[in-house]
Each structure stands twice: as structure tokens, then as C-alpha cells.
Amino acid sequence: MSYKENPDDISKWESFFKWVNGEDVITALWEKDRKKRMAGKRRKRKKDVDEIIKKILSFRKVIYVTISVIITVIYIGILLYTAYCLPEHGNPENPTNNEVSQRYIERGLEETGATNAVAGMILDYRAFDTFGESIVLFTSVMCVAILLKKDKNNANEFDEIEERFERKIIREDSGAVLKFVARLIFPVVVLYGIYVILNGHISPGGGFSGGAIIGAAMILYSSAYGSERVRRFFTYKTFSNISAACLLVYFFSKGYSFFTGGNHIESVIPKGVPGHILSGGLILPLNICVGIVVACTMYGFYAYFTRGDI
């Protein structure tokens, strides 16, 4: 390799001897100096680009903080104005002290067809409030899944070791009592949860309490036999599809009832005979939807916080 091709290796003392020997050292030194100047320009351009990027990021941060503060102030103002417009506390003419509760008690059975006044209130008069609560449950477990779900992007070498250790613990005889009890009471608890859901409009119970019972049964079964056994009939795909389907059924069913029963228009959905299992109009299917969402949400929280996956 000539010195022209690699001029950085030439020192001043070496260049003198090369010049004495008649070699072309001037060109090599010029190339060396040119490379130094180009490297300095590249470093300066890189530094300028870094400064521009820092300024852009800083400007974006200022915009983000400003917008966040504006939205927060607006939201606080709306809440304060709402609180200011509330009726005076203790005023006997307030509608919350007479009309609403009186309507629920006196005409609830006639208008909802449910002998359970609470079910008639939350799944008929205030059905969209309950729908919002179900949406909150589904959204919360989806947020937990986004943060804690184990996949190819956030898995590590300890996950497989932890799963093998879990299988080993489950196979040991020390869990025989837990397995026996879980196998004995799991179907009974699930059956009782279904009963609470289906009878929610004619007796104390409903979707929230029945769904919590079924979710607790699934947690017990998973604690005894491991998450692999639960995945045979309940996976992430099953969870997301069932929950989304129940919420959509709830939304369209109650939306239809509002269109057909609002503004004093007689609803085409029969209310049935009060006290019968097929009564209460849409309260029974809505209770089923709520119960499934609650059960899935309870087990989803347990699975993600303990193992990072359903």
C-alpha cells in the first residue's frame, strides 16, 4: 500500500526521509490534511444536527406540556361549573329527593318488568351507565394487557425457567389437597354464578355479582392446575372475542330499546310475567353480557399480574 492510499501513517520525520529519497510525500500530506478537515466538518455537521434535534424535541415537549395544562384546566373548569350548578344541598324541592326514587319504587315493576328493583334501575333506567362501567372494566384489563403481556418483544430468558418451575410445583403431591378441592367445588361455584346471573332480575344478584363468582372459580382452578389447563378453554383470543361480543350485544340491544321505548313510545320487547325467568324485557340478556365481561376481567387481571399472559 502506498502512502497516498494511507497518508495517516506518515509522520513529519518519515515525510522528510521520503522527500530525500524522491518519493511523492507532498500529495500524501495534502490528502492527510484534507481528510482531517473533512472529518472536522462531518463532526461539526453532526453536532449541528444533534442540536437541531434537541431543539425540536424540546419544542415538542413544551407543546405537549402546554396542551396538557390547557386540557386539564378546561376539565377542572367544567367540573367546578357543574358543581356550582348543582341544586342546593338539603333543598326539599330538589328532584333527587323525590321524583327519581319515587319513580323507581312506584312504577319500576310496571315499566321494567323486574321484581328486583335494583336490576330494573341499573339495567333499564340507567342501562347506559352500567354499559359505561362494563367498558371501564374491559378497557382497564386491556391496558394491563398492553403493559404486562409477555410476547416476543418483552420476553426474557427467565420466563421459560419460571414456567417450568410452575409446572414442577403443580405436578408435586403437595398440591393434591388443593387440586381435589378445586376439582370438587369448581363446577358447583360456576353453576352458582350462572344461577345468580340468570336470576338477577327476579332476586338479589345480577351480572356483576354472578360474574365475580365465576371469575373467582376460574382463579381457583388456575391456582390449582396452572394456567396451561385454563388455556385449553380460555385463551387471550377467547377473552377478547367474548368480551367484545358481549359489549356490542349490550350496546345494540339497549340502543334498540331506547329507540323503541323512548319518548313514551311503547316498546316492542315484551316484559313477560314478573317473577318468571323469562321476564324483565332485555334485563336478562344484559345481565348475561355483564356477567361474562366481569368474569373475563377478573381472571384477566389475575393472569396478567401473576404470569403476564392469559
Side-chain angles (χ1 to χ4, degrees):
M1 181 182 294
S2 66
Y3 289 97
K4 291 183 180 182
E5 296 175 353
N6 192 11
D8 293 335
D9 295 336
I10 303 176
S11 64
K12 292 183 179 180
W13 186 253
E14 289 176 336
S15 65
F16 174 74
F17 280 100
K18 301 300 178 184
W19 177 75
V20 171
N21 293 329
E23 297 184 15
D24 189 5
V25 183
I26 302 300
T27 304
L29 292 175
W30 181 83
E31 286 290 336
K32 180 180 179 181
D33 184 64
R34 186 182 68 84
K35 284 190 174 184
K36 287 183 178 180
R37 291 198 304 270
M38 293 298 294
K41 290 181 180 180
R42 285 195 295 269
R43 286 194 297 269
K44 186 175 183 303
R45 284 198 300 268
K46 185 176 183 301
K47 184 178 180 181
D48 293 340
V49 171
D50 292 341
E51 291 293 331
I52 293 173
I53 293 175
K54 287 180 180 179
K55 290 180 180 179
I56 293 174
L57 293 177
S58 177
F59 183 68
R60 287 180 59 185
K61 184 178 180 180
V62 171
I63 294 177
Y64 175 79
V65 173
T66 304
I67 294 176
S68 301
V69 171
I70 292 174
I71 293 175
T72 304
V73 171
I74 293 174
Y75 187 69
I76 292 174
I78 293 173
L79 293 178
L80 291 176
Y81 181 74
T82 303
Y84 173 77
C85 294
L86 289 175
E88 184 181 356
H89 179 70
N91 188 348
E93 299 299 327
N94 291 342
T96 56
N97 292 335
N98 44 43
E99 297 179 7
V100 178
S101 58
Q102 184 177 358
R103 177 68 173 264
Y104 291 163
I105 295 172
E106 294 181 355
R107 302 186 59 182
L109 180 62
E110 175 189 352
E111 293 180 342
T112 65
T115 56
N116 183 358
V118 177
M121 179 184 67
I122 66 175
L123 290 174
D124 195 291
Y125 290 117
R126 300 177 58 185
F128 272 103
D129 292 344
T130 306
F131 177 69
E133 294 169 4
S134 302
I135 289 290
V136 168
L137 291 176
F138 180 74
T139 305
S140 60
V141 76
M142 285 292 100
C143 293
V144 172
I146 292 172
L147 295 174
L148 301 181
K149 183 174 174 58
K150 292 180 181 179
D151 53 19
K152 62 181 181 180
N153 296 322
N154 61 359
N156 54 56
E157 63 273 12
F158 298 104
D159 294 335
E160 186 177 354
I161 300 175
E162 182 181 356
E163 191 170 350
R164 289 201 303 266
F165 181 70
E166 179 189 356
R167 293 198 206 101
K168 182 180 178 181
I169 292 177
I170 293 172
R171 285 197 301 266
E172 291 179 354
D173 294 335
S174 58
V177 176
L178 178 60
K179 292 179 182 179
F180 174 77
V181 174
R183 184 169 61 250
L184 185 65
I185 69 173
F186 174 74
V188 178
V189 175
V190 172
L191 185 62
Y192 178 67
I194 295 173
Y195 165 80
V196 172
I197 293 175
L198 296 181
N199 287 270
H201 59 297
I202 58 179
S203 64
F208 285 102
S209 52
I213 295 171
I214 297 176
M218 295 177 62
I219 292 173
L220 174 64
Y221 188 84
S222 177
S223 300
Y225 290 95
S227 57
E228 287 188 347
R229 291 282 291 271
V230 180
R231 289 194 192 103
R232 295 180 181 178
F233 61 90
F234 190 80
T235 62
Y236 175 77
K237 185 177 181 180
T238 306
F239 159 72
S240 57
N241 290 341
I242 291 178
S243 299
C246 289
L247 292 174
L248 289 175
V249 169
Y250 190 117
F251 173 76
F252 286 111
S253 298
K254 204 55 199 176
Y256 173 74
S257 70
F258 264 82
F259 279 111
T260 58
N263 299 322
H264 303 287
I265 301 175
E266 185 63 27
S267 176
V268 298
I269 302 171
K271 296 182 175 62
V273 180
H276 290 192
I277 188 69
L278 297 178
S279 62
L282 286 172
I283 295 180
L284 176 58
L286 296 184
N287 255 331
I288 295 174
C289 293
V290 173
I292 293 175
V293 171
V294 172
C296 294
T297 301
M298 278 192 60
Y299 180 74
F301 279 130
Y302 168 79
Y304 283 119
F305 277 109
T306 54
R307 298 176 182 84
D309 196 4
I310 292 181

